[in-house]
Amino acid sequence: MRIPEDRRPTLASWPKRIFEWDELQPPFHPALSQWRALGMPPGNVTYIPRIHQYSGAPEYAVAWFGQQVCIQRLQEGTLDVWNILPGQVTQLYYQIQLLKCTVTLCLSDGQIITFSYNKTKEEQIYPVISLLLGQPGDYVPPVQHPGSPAMEALREESYAMHHTALLTYRFGHAISHQLFLRGKNRSLLYLLQRRPDPECFCALTDAGPVLILNDYYGTRALYLPAGYPSSFQVKPVPHSKDHGLYLRTLAEEEFLYFRLLPGQEAQASAFAARWPSHL
């Protein structure tokens, strides 16, 4: 009988901060040699092991120095290296599913980079995420919202999204306009399982738009730097009586981002009209 492969994350899959250079696997050293010669400490490097017992999964080394980020991926003997400069990220997805975090970033040259890690030690990767989002490596986002009627209303409508919306401040320091929508699970199975309805939070910040989805599967935040155009519009859903929020970015063709319930069209359209740029 074939024993199923155990792909569950374990302690062995946790990200590991490097304290001594000999702790880092040899394949990752060459790409960091120049930064190391310039004085980068080993603590700026985090090694992300492959998932325990999953031989085909990649392993990563992520590092930062000054305003630059280096992401290395080693998979089945092939090493890919990306050196990312400020302003090169056109959009960044940040996704949480239980203890698994996934970061997907799109670069101005069209490249798409993805890396995943165990959330237990996420604080070690905060400097890398901050730099990718245009913030300093030592940036510490606020742990509570500034007092405002809009945020008080959000807390009353959804305490869960009120907390999740703190992800906005990883990107921008202030929210000028925001939109909260609650959808509806249409699957009979989901209704029988009493799964929570999906929720959407959209914010316009000084750094650019932020879109956050909460549903049964987890949380997904999308950050769109202001220097790159995108489009966010309310349109009819094909072959349906519904309307939806449609998103288009430099990296993605237009797609249905969130299906609206009857009565939400005016509120969503008012927010979409304030969208800073359009493709």
mmCIF file of all heavy atoms in Angstrom, residues 14-18 23-25 28 45-50 59-62 124:
data_model
loop_
_atom_site.group_PDB
_atom_site.id
_atom_site.type_symbol
_atom_site.label_atom_id
_atom_site.label_comp_id
_atom_site.label_asym_id
_atom_site.label_seq_id
_atom_site.Cartn_x
_atom_site.Cartn_y
_atom_site.Cartn_z
ATOM 1 N N TRP A 14 9.589 26.278 9.330
ATOM 2 C CA TRP A 14 9.527 27.660 9.776
ATOM 3 C C TRP A 14 10.677 28.470 9.171
ATOM 4 O O TRP A 14 11.802 27.977 9.032
ATOM 5 C CB TRP A 14 9.628 27.738 11.295
ATOM 6 C CG TRP A 14 8.395 27.270 12.013
ATOM 7 C CD1 TRP A 14 7.334 26.608 11.469
ATOM 8 C CD2 TRP A 14 8.130 27.417 13.408
ATOM 9 N NE1 TRP A 14 6.408 26.336 12.440
ATOM 10 C CE2 TRP A 14 6.865 26.810 13.640
ATOM 11 C CE3 TRP A 14 8.824 27.978 14.467
ATOM 12 C CZ2 TRP A 14 6.299 26.786 14.914
ATOM 13 C CZ3 TRP A 14 8.252 27.950 15.730
ATOM 14 C CH2 TRP A 14 7.003 27.361 15.946
ATOM 15 N N PRO A 15 10.419 29.727 8.822
ATOM 16 C CA PRO A 15 11.523 30.588 8.369
ATOM 17 C C PRO A 15 12.591 30.720 9.451
ATOM 18 O O PRO A 15 12.280 30.745 10.647
ATOM 19 C CB PRO A 15 10.831 31.931 8.106
ATOM 20 C CG PRO A 15 9.389 31.603 7.905
ATOM 21 C CD PRO A 15 9.114 30.419 8.789
ATOM 22 N N LYS A 16 13.834 30.801 9.026
ATOM 23 C CA LYS A 16 14.955 30.852 9.968
ATOM 24 C C LYS A 16 15.819 32.081 9.681
ATOM 25 O O LYS A 16 16.350 32.228 8.575
ATOM 26 C CB LYS A 16 15.813 29.585 9.848
ATOM 27 C CG LYS A 16 15.082 28.293 10.196
ATOM 28 C CD LYS A 16 15.965 27.081 9.949
ATOM 29 C CE LYS A 16 15.287 25.798 10.415
ATOM 30 N NZ LYS A 16 14.030 25.534 9.705
ATOM 31 N N ARG A 17 15.932 32.960 10.658
ATOM 32 C CA ARG A 17 16.846 34.087 10.510
ATOM 33 C C ARG A 17 18.279 33.583 10.594
ATOM 34 O O ARG A 17 18.600 32.721 11.408
ATOM 35 C CB ARG A 17 16.586 35.141 11.589
ATOM 36 C CG ARG A 17 17.583 36.295 11.563
ATOM 37 C CD ARG A 17 17.216 37.373 12.535
ATOM 38 N NE ARG A 17 16.067 38.118 12.073
ATOM 39 C CZ ARG A 17 15.061 38.512 12.843
ATOM 40 N NH1 ARG A 17 15.054 38.207 14.129
ATOM 41 N NH2 ARG A 17 14.056 39.205 12.341
ATOM 42 N N ILE A 18 19.131 34.125 9.740
ATOM 43 C CA ILE A 18 20.535 33.705 9.705
ATOM 44 C C ILE A 18 21.339 34.572 10.678
ATOM 45 O O ILE A 18 21.330 35.802 10.578
ATOM 46 C CB ILE A 18 21.103 33.838 8.273
ATOM 47 C CG1 ILE A 18 20.272 32.992 7.300
ATOM 48 C CG2 ILE A 18 22.568 33.426 8.246
ATOM 49 C CD1 ILE A 18 20.229 31.520 7.626
ATOM 50 N N GLU A 23 25.452 29.380 8.424
ATOM 51 C CA GLU A 23 24.140 28.755 8.596
ATOM 52 C C GLU A 23 23.341 28.763 7.290
ATOM 53 O O GLU A 23 22.376 28.014 7.156
ATOM 54 C CB GLU A 23 23.341 29.494 9.677
ATOM 55 C CG GLU A 23 23.966 29.461 11.058
ATOM 56 C CD GLU A 23 23.189 30.311 12.051
ATOM 57 O OE1 GLU A 23 22.136 30.860 11.670
ATOM 58 O OE2 GLU A 23 23.648 30.441 13.199
ATOM 59 N N LEU A 24 23.730 29.615 6.348
ATOM 60 C CA LEU A 24 23.007 29.722 5.082
ATOM 61 C C LEU A 24 23.535 28.698 4.089
ATOM 62 O O LEU A 24 24.754 28.534 3.928
ATOM 63 C CB LEU A 24 23.166 31.130 4.495
ATOM 64 C CG LEU A 24 22.405 31.425 3.205
ATOM 65 C CD1 LEU A 24 20.899 31.340 3.425
ATOM 66 C CD2 LEU A 24 22.784 32.813 2.670
ATOM 67 N N GLN A 25 22.618 28.001 3.400
ATOM 68 C CA GLN A 25 23.011 26.966 2.451
ATOM 69 C C GLN A 25 23.905 27.572 1.364
ATOM 70 O O GLN A 25 23.654 28.683 0.870
ATOM 71 C CB GLN A 25 21.760 26.328 1.825
ATOM 72 C CG GLN A 25 21.097 25.279 2.702
ATOM 73 C CD GLN A 25 20.428 25.865 3.936
ATOM 74 O OE1 GLN A 25 20.383 27.068 4.109
ATOM 75 N NE2 GLN A 25 19.923 25.006 4.798
ATOM 76 N N PHE A 28 23.001 29.804 -1.905
ATOM 77 C CA PHE A 28 22.462 31.156 -1.777
ATOM 78 C C PHE A 28 23.544 32.219 -1.539
ATOM 79 O O PHE A 28 23.237 33.407 -1.541
ATOM 80 C CB PHE A 28 21.441 31.208 -0.628
ATOM 81 C CG PHE A 28 20.234 30.339 -0.840
ATOM 82 C CD1 PHE A 28 19.949 29.287 0.019
ATOM 83 C CD2 PHE A 28 19.368 30.562 -1.896
ATOM 84 C CE1 PHE A 28 18.837 28.490 -0.154
ATOM 85 C CE2 PHE A 28 18.250 29.766 -2.102
ATOM 86 C CZ PHE A 28 17.976 28.723 -1.225
ATOM 87 N N VAL A 45 19.108 38.293 6.387
ATOM 88 C CA VAL A 45 18.774 37.167 5.523
ATOM 89 C C VAL A 45 17.861 36.204 6.280
ATOM 90 O O VAL A 45 18.114 35.880 7.444
ATOM 91 C CB VAL A 45 20.035 36.418 5.053
ATOM 92 C CG1 VAL A 45 19.667 35.297 4.079
ATOM 93 C CG2 VAL A 45 21.034 37.382 4.421
ATOM 94 N N THR A 46 16.812 35.750 5.625
ATOM 95 C CA THR A 46 15.931 34.729 6.184
ATOM 96 C C THR A 46 15.867 33.559 5.218
ATOM 97 O O THR A 46 15.611 33.732 4.022
ATOM 98 C CB THR A 46 14.513 35.271 6.425
ATOM 99 O OG1 THR A 46 14.568 36.339 7.375
ATOM 100 C CG2 THR A 46 13.599 34.183 6.959
ATOM 101 N N TYR A 47 16.113 32.377 5.737
ATOM 102 C CA TYR A 47 16.033 31.153 4.942
ATOM 103 C C TYR A 47 14.670 30.517 5.160
ATOM 104 O O TYR A 47 14.215 30.345 6.299
ATOM 105 C CB TYR A 47 17.140 30.185 5.351
ATOM 106 C CG TYR A 47 16.990 28.796 4.778
ATOM 107 C CD1 TYR A 47 17.068 28.576 3.402
ATOM 108 C CD2 TYR A 47 16.768 27.698 5.609
ATOM 109 C CE1 TYR A 47 16.919 27.304 2.874
ATOM 110 C CE2 TYR A 47 16.633 26.419 5.097
ATOM 111 C CZ TYR A 47 16.700 26.230 3.722
ATOM 112 O OH TYR A 47 16.555 24.966 3.207
ATOM 113 N N ILE A 48 13.983 30.188 4.068
ATOM 114 C CA ILE A 48 12.658 29.564 4.134
ATOM 115 C C ILE A 48 12.792 28.137 3.598
ATOM 116 O O ILE A 48 12.912 27.932 2.381
ATOM 117 C CB ILE A 48 11.625 30.350 3.309
ATOM 118 C CG1 ILE A 48 11.598 31.821 3.756
ATOM 119 C CG2 ILE A 48 10.242 29.715 3.448
ATOM 120 C CD1 ILE A 48 10.722 32.699 2.890
ATOM 121 N N PRO A 49 12.794 27.131 4.472
ATOM 122 C CA PRO A 49 12.970 25.748 4.021
ATOM 123 C C PRO A 49 11.792 25.258 3.209
ATOM 124 O O PRO A 49 10.694 25.831 3.252
ATOM 125 C CB PRO A 49 13.095 24.953 5.332
ATOM 126 C CG PRO A 49 13.308 25.979 6.410
ATOM 127 C CD PRO A 49 12.652 27.235 5.924
ATOM 128 N N ARG A 50 12.010 24.198 2.456
ATOM 129 C CA ARG A 50 10.895 23.560 1.769
ATOM 130 C C ARG A 50 9.990 22.902 2.799
ATOM 131 O O ARG A 50 10.399 22.613 3.926
ATOM 132 C CB ARG A 50 11.387 22.522 0.763
ATOM 133 C CG ARG A 50 12.113 21.344 1.384
ATOM 134 C CD ARG A 50 12.346 20.248 0.350
ATOM 135 N NE ARG A 50 13.118 20.733 -0.764
ATOM 136 C CZ ARG A 50 14.439 20.645 -0.865
ATOM 137 N NH1 ARG A 50 15.130 20.097 0.127
ATOM 138 N NH2 ARG A 50 15.073 21.075 -1.927
ATOM 139 N N GLU A 59 12.776 25.997 -1.958
ATOM 140 C CA GLU A 59 13.237 26.657 -0.744
ATOM 141 C C GLU A 59 13.739 28.029 -1.144
ATOM 142 O O GLU A 59 14.137 28.249 -2.294
ATOM 143 C CB GLU A 59 14.329 25.840 -0.058
ATOM 144 C CG GLU A 59 15.465 25.423 -0.958
ATOM 145 C CD GLU A 59 16.390 24.415 -0.284
ATOM 146 O OE1 GLU A 59 16.788 24.661 0.869
ATOM 147 O OE2 GLU A 59 16.706 23.397 -0.921
ATOM 148 N N TYR A 60 13.694 28.965 -0.213
ATOM 149 C CA TYR A 60 13.976 30.352 -0.544
ATOM 150 C C TYR A 60 14.993 30.942 0.436
ATOM 151 O O TYR A 60 15.129 30.493 1.582
ATOM 152 C CB TYR A 60 12.708 31.205 -0.467
ATOM 153 C CG TYR A 60 11.576 30.757 -1.352
ATOM 154 C CD1 TYR A 60 10.620 29.860 -0.893
ATOM 155 C CD2 TYR A 60 11.447 31.248 -2.648
ATOM 156 C CE1 TYR A 60 9.562 29.453 -1.694
ATOM 157 C CE2 TYR A 60 10.389 30.849 -3.461
ATOM 158 C CZ TYR A 60 9.455 29.956 -2.968
ATOM 159 O OH TYR A 60 8.418 29.563 -3.763
ATOM 160 N N ALA A 61 15.657 31.990 -0.035
ATOM 161 C CA ALA A 61 16.400 32.894 0.834
ATOM 162 C C ALA A 61 15.990 34.300 0.433
ATOM 163 O O ALA A 61 16.103 34.676 -0.737
ATOM 164 C CB ALA A 61 17.909 32.707 0.676
ATOM 165 N N VAL A 62 15.457 35.056 1.399
ATOM 166 C CA VAL A 62 15.062 36.438 1.130
ATOM 167 C C VAL A 62 15.950 37.346 1.972
ATOM 168 O O VAL A 62 16.232 37.056 3.138
ATOM 169 C CB VAL A 62 13.573 36.680 1.436
ATOM 170 C CG1 VAL A 62 12.702 35.857 0.498
ATOM 171 C CG2 VAL A 62 13.233 36.357 2.874
ATOM 172 N N GLN A 124 10.183 38.012 10.916
ATOM 173 C CA GLN A 124 11.512 38.012 10.301
ATOM 174 C C GLN A 124 11.474 38.507 8.856
ATOM 175 O O GLN A 124 12.490 38.949 8.323
ATOM 176 C CB GLN A 124 12.112 36.607 10.362
ATOM 177 C CG GLN A 124 12.283 36.073 11.766
ATOM 178 C CD GLN A 124 12.710 34.632 11.811
ATOM 179 O OE1 GLN A 124 12.716 33.997 12.858
ATOM 180 N NE2 GLN A 124 13.067 34.078 10.662
#
